[in-house]
Amino acid sequence: MKKRSLVLLPLAAALALSGCSGSDSTAENSASASQQSEQSSPEQSAPAQSADASAALTSEQASAVVKKLAGDSKDAMVMDGDTLAASIPQAQKLIDQMEIKPEKCAEFVSQQNIGDLSGIHMAVAVVPGSNPMESTSYSVAGYDDASKLNKAKELATAKDLQGCDKFTMTIGGQEVEAAAKFVDATSDADVTYVTSSNVKMGGQEVPGGTYQMQGIVGPNVIGISVSGDSSKSQDEVVKEMTTEMNKAVAEVKAQSK
């Protein structure tokens, strides 16, 4: 079983426990990577839209961007919106099967379920690392749905884990301890935020943890996730992710013109 954590919060650890392998596991986690853009915080105002990226990317354009970011890796897996949408019901089923404590965090996790990708043109590329726990993913989503885009912007400005920076999830009889925090970072995107998350399975910490960087460029949302690389410090990982984000921003702006 290949376990990869590719999401904002340690929810990926619970998905990994499902026993899925290869493309199924990756597709579910990558679909979940888009889910964090669906939470909202009405107290925050949305940032201004970039003048250099005024158009939402099409599915074809989003796919072109993630393929370029994935480079020439022969093992890279690219998934379009249809593939991601098909994985949502199974991802929701896994969420429904979880026992989450404290109970208030069950609602928080459920909020991450995007439900559908209507009005969103999305593509994801996943590049495996040197071991089953290590991977890098790139996601690009063009938002035609203004309400969903506003929710993504609200989350980016709020940076609110709703008191669920630490919680436990149990699925299939296995308990996962999860912890997440925000990390300071800036990039060429209109808005940038980064989270660091770690999980423990059976009392043992999963090496490397997961870093998730999100960037908003006009009506487009970029996500970069790095998991399982324990050889680098947080500063090194975030610096490399920022470089990748800046490349992604340039590609999105070029495609949206």
Side-chain angles (χ1 to χ4, degrees):
M1 178 176 68
K2 296 180 180 180
K3 303 184 185 73
R4 298 191 179 110
S5 299
L6 304 179
V7 295
L8 170 65
L9 294 172
L11 175 59
L15 298 181
L17 293 177
S18 66
C20 298
S21 62
S23 61
D24 289 342
S25 175
T26 305
E28 289 167 13
N29 291 343
S30 299
S32 298
S34 70
Q35 295 169 359
Q36 69 265 31
S37 66
E38 289 306 301
Q39 299 178 66
S40 64
S41 176
E43 297 176 359
Q44 299 291 331
S45 59
Q49 183 169 300
S50 169
D52 296 325
S54 57
L57 297 189
T58 64
S59 296
E60 292 76 13
Q61 290 172 325
S63 293
V65 174
V66 297
K67 286 178 182 178
K68 192 156 188 177
L69 294 173
D72 56 2
S73 172
K74 296 180 180 179
D75 296 325
M77 178 183 297
V78 178
M79 292 161 282
D80 59 16
D82 290 340
T83 302
L84 296 170
S87 74
I88 289 176
Q90 188 174 0
Q92 179 61 53
K93 183 178 179 180
L94 290 172
I95 293 173
D96 292 341
Q97 292 173 346
M98 296 177 194
E99 180 183 356
I100 300 173
K101 296 181 180 179
E103 291 184 1
K104 68 174 183 178
C105 296
E107 180 180 355
F108 177 62
V109 171
S110 295
Q111 288 173 2
Q112 296 184 77
N113 186 22
I114 196 170
D116 68 79
L117 291 175
S118 60
I120 304 174
H121 309 295
M122 187 173 185
V124 172
V126 180
V127 182
S130 58
N131 64 71
M133 294 296 295
E134 187 177 329
S135 63
T136 301
S137 71
Y138 304 93
S139 66
V140 174
Y143 281 68
D144 282 337
D145 189 316
S147 63
K148 292 180 179 179
L149 176 62
N150 286 337
K151 289 180 180 180
K153 291 178 178 179
E154 288 164 0
L155 173 62
T157 56
K159 296 184 179 180
D160 184 9
L161 295 176
Q162 301 181 25
C164 295
D165 52 329
K166 293 183 180 180
F167 59 94
T168 62
M169 302 172 288
T170 302
I171 184 170
Q174 298 190 60
E175 184 178 87
V176 175
E177 299 175 55
K181 64 180 181 179
F182 285 98
V183 178
D184 291 335
T186 58
S187 76
D188 292 341
D190 302 339
V191 179
T192 306
Y193 70 90
V194 179
T195 58
S196 169
S197 60
N198 295 91
V199 299
K200 289 184 179 180
M201 297 182 184
Q204 299 295 317
E205 186 168 326
V206 177
T210 297
Y211 292 88
Q212 174 79 25
M213 176 176 283
Q214 288 281 316
I216 297 179
V217 187
N220 303 291
V221 179
I222 302 166
I224 300 175
S225 180
V226 176
S227 299
D229 188 350
S230 57
S231 66
K232 298 174 183 176
S233 68
Q234 175 175 290
D235 288 345
E236 290 174 322
V237 173
V238 173
K239 182 178 180 179
E240 290 181 4
M241 292 179 74
T242 301
T243 298
E244 290 296 290
M245 177 60 71
N246 290 342
K247 291 179 183 177
V249 170
E251 289 295 329
V252 166
K253 288 181 178 180
Q255 287 284 348
S256 64
K257 290 181 179 180

